[in-house]
């Protein structure tokens, strides 16, 4: 699906032809990116200056149809021209830089997977691939229906010249949505890389729970006897009183020892029922806590001197920083293009709700052109809202995956594994990584040139603003206008 979108993007002049080749003809690469905008401007000025092939200049188009069509056409012109101008800015440089950094990241990830012995783990990638392709298939069906409806209605009205009004009606919204599709693809690639390094971090976290530091057992009794033999010399021998006191002490210790043995041999008295229940509960809770305790029985096993997963930690920290840097340049490329697209989506959605509730519910079926314009608003408002939601969802997923890496590292630090206690370098690097991520979190987030954050909070703010505008628009009385246009008796 992504290849089909890339081919279509190159055909309509949204991305260069040889975007992944540094040594190529610049004129040939940017030819379509210049031809298609010029053709669009020709169709736009032909309709607005010559007053031909325009839906708003037909006799069957009433004032409501004319107003709606003009708003849709001029808003599309703003969207397309803004997106096109932003696409020309360092477009090929971005693709080359993105592919170069991504290849370097993938090479290090493959090396880390070999060290962690995770080359055969592909279940998560397959599940993600199914959801990924299903999302693209759904988008393809939505756009296919929107284009079919618009082209069919325009062909019934203008015949073979239907491509001229199509260029100024649905084409700008199609181009803007494809640019957002490119943004969706690049953010999904970034999110996948975060998931892969989180899998490697989680492998280290699981190993830290079962691998402990070797326990050194000191022979305390032998050390005490050695110290006693060292201190007992002929020059410092005890006198007779001291010897008698030592003999009395020794006799008391024997009596105490025999009494303790007798108490241990005797069976303990049965505890009360309530106390027995409390002891069982405490024993159950202690058994649950034993999972994270030190295993003293296995403390004498030898350490693994081969390659283990914690050897990947320095590379994983560098990978996380590289992926965050890749997110920054991706947001710098596509973030400004989100602003006009979200604005167009907002206006089309509000006016589509207004036309559907105040016009179509009252005079539906009495004017074919008015019905066409109304349904065109509804279709493209739904289409653009779906694209906007997928953009917000993937940006949130990428941010959450980046935060998850820091949480896993912090969890590893709390478990105090053997490799961290035996080497201060691991502890210092993990501490520096978690601290650095706090600064990253405050510094970067996917956004539209700082005007709004691309997360789920944007949906709430948009719905709040749309509700305020709709409260004002729905108070207009359209019956007088519709009666003057002959749509109401």
């Amino acid at each position: 699906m992504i290849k089909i979108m890339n081919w279509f993007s190159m055909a309509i002049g949204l991305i260069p032809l040889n975007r992944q080749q540094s040594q190529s003809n610049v004129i040939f690469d940017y030819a379509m990116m210049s031809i298609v905008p010029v053709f669009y401007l020709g169709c736009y000025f032909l309709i607005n200056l010559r007053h031909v092939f325009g839906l708003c200049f037909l006799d069957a188009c009433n004032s409501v149809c004319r107003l709606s069509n003009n708003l849709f056409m001029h808003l599309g012109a703003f969207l397309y021209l803004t997106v096109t101008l932003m696409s020309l800015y360092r477009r090929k440089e971005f693709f080359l830089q993105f592919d170069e950094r991504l290849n370097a990241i993938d090479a290090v990830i493959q090396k880390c997977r070999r060290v962690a012995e995770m080359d055969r783990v592909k279940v998560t990638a397959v599940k993600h691939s199914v959801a990924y392709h299903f999302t693209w298939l759904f988008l393809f069906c939505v756009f296919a229906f929107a284009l079919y409806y618009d082209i069919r209605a325009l062909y019934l009205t203008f015949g073979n010249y239907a491509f001229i009004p199509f260029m100024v009606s649905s084409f700008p919204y199609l181009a803007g949505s494809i640019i957002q599709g490119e943004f969706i693809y690049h953010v999904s690639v970034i999110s996948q890389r975060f998931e892969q390094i989180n899998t490697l971090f989680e492998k280290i976290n699981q190993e830290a729970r079962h691998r402990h530091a070797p326990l050194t057992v000191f022979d305390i009794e032998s050390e005490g006897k050695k110290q006693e033999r060292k201190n007992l010399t002929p020059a410092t021998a005890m006198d007779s009183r001291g010897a008698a006191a030592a003999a009395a002490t020794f006799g008391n210790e024997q009596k105490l020892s025999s009494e303790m043995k007798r108490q241990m041999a005797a069976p303990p008295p049965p505890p009360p029922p309530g106390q027995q229940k409390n002891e069982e509960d405490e024993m159950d809770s202690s058994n649950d806590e034993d999972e994270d305790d030190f295993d003293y029985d296995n403390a004498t096993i030898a350490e693994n001197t081969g390659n283990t997963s914690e050897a990947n930690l320095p590379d994983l920290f560098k990978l996380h920083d590289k992926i965050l840097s890749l997110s920054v340049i991706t947001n710098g490329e596509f973030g400004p293009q989100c602003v006009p697209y979200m604005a167009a989506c907002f206006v089309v959605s509000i006016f589509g709700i207004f036309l559907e509730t105040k016009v179509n519910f009252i005079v539906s079926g009495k004017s074919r052109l008015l019905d066409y314009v109304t349904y065109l608003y509804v279709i493209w408002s739904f289409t653009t809202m779906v694209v906007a939601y997928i953009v917000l969802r993937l940006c949130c997923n990428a941010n959450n995956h980046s935060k998850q890496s820091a949480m896993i590292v912090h969890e590893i630090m709390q478990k105090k594994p053997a490799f961290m206690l035996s080497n201060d370098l691991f502890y210092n690097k993990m501490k520096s990584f978690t601290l650095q991520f706090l600064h990253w979190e405050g510094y970067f987030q996917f956004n539209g040139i700082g005007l709004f954050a691309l997360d789920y909070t944007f949906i709430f703010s948009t719905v709040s603003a749309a509700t305020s505008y709709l409260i004002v628009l729905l108070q207009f009385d359209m019956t007088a206008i519709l009666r003057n246009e002959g749509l109401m008796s």
Side-chain angles (χ1 to χ4, degrees):
M1 294 300 296
I2 187 62
K3 291 183 179 180
I4 296 176
M5 187 186 68
N6 287 333
W7 292 338
F8 193 71
S9 300
M10 289 186 290
I12 63 177
L14 294 176
I15 60 177
L17 295 179
N18 299 316
R19 66 187 187 283
Q20 296 178 346
Q21 298 179 7
S22 58
Q23 303 296 330
S24 59
N25 192 348
V26 178
I27 299 177
F28 179 75
D29 293 341
Y30 287 89
M32 292 302 297
M33 296 188 70
S34 302
I35 293 175
V36 177
V38 171
F39 180 71
Y40 170 80
L41 290 176
C43 295
Y44 179 80
F45 287 118
L46 180 64
I47 293 176
N48 288 277
L49 297 181
R50 299 293 300 273
H51 296 177
V52 292
F53 304 115
L55 191 68
C56 56
F57 304 111
L58 298 178
D59 296 334
C61 186
N62 51 53
S63 60
V64 180
C65 174
R66 191 176 301 110
L67 174 63
S68 304
N69 183 76
N70 286 333
L71 176 62
F72 196 79
M73 178 176 58
H74 297 314
L75 184 64
F78 161 75
L79 172 63
Y80 179 71
L81 294 178
T82 306
V83 167
T84 303
L85 291 176
M86 292 181 179
S87 299
L88 293 174
Y89 176 68
R90 72 180 187 90
R91 167 63 69 176
K92 190 172 181 178
E93 179 185 353
F94 164 74
F95 283 111
L96 294 173
Q97 190 176 7
F98 186 89
D99 292 338
E100 180 182 357
R101 294 192 179 191
L102 188 64
N103 292 332
I105 290 172
D106 289 338
V108 180
I109 288 178
Q110 290 300 323
K111 186 190 74 172
C112 294
R113 289 179 66 88
R114 286 193 297 269
V115 172
E117 298 179 355
M118 296 180 60
D119 293 336
R120 297 181 180 180
V121 180
K122 297 181 179 180
V123 178
T124 304
V126 172
K127 291 182 179 179
H128 183 82
S129 178
V130 172
Y132 177 78
H133 290 294
F134 177 78
T135 302
W136 282 109
L137 182 61
F138 175 74
L139 282 178
F140 178 79
C141 294
V142 170
F143 279 99
F145 175 75
L147 295 178
Y148 169 77
Y149 175 80
D150 192 20
I151 293 175
R152 179 178 177 274
L154 292 176
Y155 183 79
L156 293 176
T157 305
F158 297 100
N160 295 330
Y161 297 99
F163 67 92
I164 298 178
F166 172 78
M167 287 295 296
V168 298
S169 60
S170 295
F171 176 75
Y173 299 93
L174 175 64
S177 300
I178 291 176
I179 288 294
Q180 297 307 307
E182 293 283 346
F183 188 29
I184 291 171
Y185 165 71
H186 287 85
V187 174
S188 65
V189 169
I190 293 172
S191 182
Q192 288 178 11
R193 300 310 183 271
F194 275 127
E195 285 183 320
Q196 291 177 4
I197 66 173
N198 286 341
T199 304
L200 295 169
F201 276 128
E202 190 62 36
K203 178 74 181 302
I204 302 174
N205 188 20
Q206 293 175 0
E207 292 179 354
R209 183 168 184 164
H210 305 290
R211 185 178 299 163
H212 303 285
L215 181 65
T216 303
V217 180
F218 295 97
D219 191 358
I220 302 176
E221 184 178 2
S222 300
E223 294 291 336
K225 290 180 179 180
K226 292 178 182 179
Q227 187 67 24
E228 184 179 357
R229 286 195 300 267
K230 183 178 180 181
N231 294 332
L232 287 179
T233 57
T236 60
M238 292 184 177
D239 54 3
S240 58
R241 183 179 299 177
T249 304
F250 182 73
N252 293 332
E253 289 180 354
Q254 281 187 340
K255 293 179 181 180
L256 181 61
S257 177
S258 61
E259 180 67 20
M260 290 179 63
K261 289 180 181 179
R262 186 185 65 79
Q263 292 180 1
M264 292 176 63
Q275 183 178 358
Q276 183 177 3
K277 185 176 180 181
N278 294 333
E279 290 179 355
E280 292 178 355
D281 295 338
E282 292 177 359
M283 184 176 297
D284 293 337
S285 62
S286 63
N287 291 334
D288 295 337
E289 295 176 355
D290 285 343
E291 296 181 358
D292 294 333
D293 291 341
F294 192 88
D295 191 1
Y296 291 97
D297 296 334
N298 299 325
T300 58
I301 60 175
E303 291 185 90
N304 186 11
T305 57
N307 289 333
T308 52
S309 297
E310 63 267 13
N312 289 328
L313 279 175
D315 290 332
L316 292 179
F317 295 153
K318 294 179 182 179
L319 280 176
H320 196 273
D321 292 339
K322 290 181 179 179
I323 299 175
L324 283 176
S325 301
L326 198 63
S327 303
V328 172
I329 65 171
T330 303
N331 184 79
E333 176 67 24
F334 294 100
Q337 298 172 353
C338 288
V339 177
Y341 187 82
M342 296 298 179
C345 175
F346 180 79
V347 176
V348 170
S349 300
I350 290 178
F351 211 74
I353 296 174
F354 172 74
L355 289 177
E356 188 67 24
T357 55
K358 300 294 292 185
V359 177
N360 193 56
F361 283 173
I362 302 174
V363 295
S364 177
K366 295 185 178 181
S367 175
R368 185 180 66 86
L369 294 180
L370 183 59
D371 292 342
Y372 157 73
V373 174
T374 303
Y375 291 133
L376 190 65
Y377 269 91
V378 174
I379 291 173
W380 279 109
S381 63
F382 173 76
T383 306
T384 54
M385 281 192 293
V386 169
V387 175
Y389 170 75
I390 295 177
V391 169
L392 299 177
R393 177 184 175 183
L394 289 178
C395 290
C396 284
N397 288 342
N399 287 328
N400 292 335
H401 289 321
S402 64
K403 294 177 182 178
Q404 186 181 3
S405 302
M407 296 299 295
I408 296 174
V409 172
H410 189 70
E411 185 176 354
I412 296 173
M413 294 176 63
Q414 288 180 332
K415 292 181 178 179
K416 297 181 176 61
F419 66 87
M420 189 183 72
L421 297 178
S422 60
N423 192 349
D424 293 339
L425 180 62
F426 286 108
Y427 175 76
N428 293 331
K429 282 187 173 294
M430 287 190 288
K431 186 177 180 180
S432 300
F433 172 76
T434 54
L435 182 61
Q436 183 182 8
F437 183 76
L438 291 177
H439 296 291
W440 263 108
E441 189 177 6
Y443 167 72
F444 171 74
Q445 189 178 10
F446 286 103
N447 61 85
I449 58 176
L451 296 177
F452 49 83
L454 294 175
D455 53 13
Y456 291 129
T457 59
F458 180 75
I459 299 178
F460 176 76
S461 59
T462 304
V463 171
S464 301
T467 304
S468 302
Y469 285 106
L470 285 174
I471 290 175
V472 177
L473 288 175
L474 294 178
Q475 293 178 0
F476 283 100
D477 187 9
M478 297 292 295
T479 56
I481 299 176
L482 297 177
R483 189 177 293 111
N484 293 333
E485 295 294 337
L487 298 176
M488 292 183 61
S489 58

